[in-house]
Amino acid sequence: MSATVTLSPESVKAVAREVARLMLQAQAPDLVDCNTAAQILGISPNYLRRIKDRYPHLKRGEGRQARLLFDRNALLQ
């Protein structure tokens, strides 16, 4: 025996938004700043900035003032 459920258009949109939010949350890396990443690795933040290309990271901003954000999970591997 199967049951049929009828959803309003608003309910369908709400479910779709929640599914999209959960999918993005599952894909989004846990980003940490340079100081935290260096602490995880047991090195200085200055040294980490020099070797940053060894680890997955994002650069937010321009020039010397840009923030480096590292993927916490990749640092722990």
Side-chain angles (χ1 to χ4, degrees):
M1 177 177 197
S2 65
T4 301
V5 176
T6 304
L7 298 173
S8 68
E10 294 81 19
S11 295
V12 172
K13 287 179 185 178
V15 169
R17 278 193 300 272
E18 181 64 11
V19 168
R21 185 188 70 77
L22 291 171
M23 289 178 66
L24 286 173
Q25 186 178 30
Q27 294 174 355
D30 182 13
L31 299 176
V32 295
D33 65 8
C34 190
N35 290 337
T36 303
Q39 194 172 39
I40 290 169
L41 295 171
I43 60 177
S44 73
N46 286 337
Y47 183 63
L48 179 55
R49 287 183 194 95
R50 287 193 301 252
I51 64 166
K52 67 184 178 298
D53 292 330
R54 295 182 189 176
Y55 302 98
H57 67 281
L58 300 173
K59 186 176 177 182
R60 296 285 188 221
E62 297 291 326
R64 297 195 60 162
Q65 297 298 317
R67 279 186 72 191
L68 293 176
L69 300 172
F70 294 85
D71 182 345
R72 179 188 302 268
N73 294 329
L75 299 173
L76 296 172
Q77 294 179 0

